[in-house]
């Protein structure tokens, strides 16, 4: 089980990402657009730099939804590899069967 403080910090990062997502998308579009003038592009880049570091979506860590384990995350299930195996063997994941050959 991950430390509660790490899980809470990651949730705060997710909230920060959501708060700044629309403005970040606008600024990035300004930077990408070929018709943007140099001064507009420079202003957009400066505003992106002034935003908090945690406003970037890459700062959010994928964690197990049950116990918060940060590694071995399987996106399809939202679980870590360990928890996914336990729940699959217990029959809690419909359609998942243990294969053998």
């Amino acid at each position: 089980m991950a430390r509660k403080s790490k899980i809470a910090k990651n949730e705060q990062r997710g909230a920060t990402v959501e708060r700044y997502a629309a403005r970040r998308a606008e600024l990035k579009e300004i930077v990408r657009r070929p018709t943007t003038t140099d001064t507009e592009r420079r202003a957009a880049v400066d505003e992106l730099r002034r935003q908090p570091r945690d406003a970037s979506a890459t700062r959010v860590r994928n964690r197990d939804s049950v116990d918060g384990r940060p590694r071995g995350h399987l996106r399809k299930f939202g679980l870590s590899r360990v928890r996914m195996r336990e729940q699959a063997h217990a029959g809690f994941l419909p359609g998942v069967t243990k294969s053998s050959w």
Side-chain angles (χ1 to χ4, degrees):
M1 173 111 188
R3 291 190 345 224
K4 302 267 189 210
S5 61
K6 291 287 189 180
I7 295 170
K9 184 66 174 176
N10 198 45
E11 289 172 359
Q12 284 178 348
R13 282 188 185 125
T16 305
V17 167
E18 288 178 20
R19 188 168 46 245
Y20 286 93
R23 183 61 182 155
R24 281 183 71 84
E26 291 172 10
L27 293 171
K28 286 185 170 214
E29 183 57 34
I30 290 170
V31 172
R32 276 191 213 108
R33 198 178 312 132
T35 59
T36 307
T37 64
D38 287 339
T39 56
E40 289 174 341
R41 183 172 286 119
R42 195 172 303 119
V45 169
D46 287 343
E47 188 175 340
L48 275 170
R49 285 188 185 145
R50 280 194 306 270
Q51 287 185 348
R53 183 178 284 179
D54 286 343
S56 173
T58 59
R59 302 274 295 180
V60 178
R61 179 83 172 167
N62 288 332
R63 288 183 173 270
D64 187 330
S65 59
V66 176
D67 64 358
R69 188 179 204 281
R71 297 193 179 191
H73 181 266
L74 300 173
R75 194 177 296 247
K76 182 175 181 179
F77 300 101
L79 301 170
S80 68
R81 60 183 176 77
V82 177
R83 186 74 49 197
M84 186 266 184
R85 185 171 187 269
E86 288 174 358
Q87 290 191 4
H89 285 300
F92 296 137
L93 301 176
V96 176
T97 57
K98 182 177 179 193
S99 74
S100 158
W101 59 93

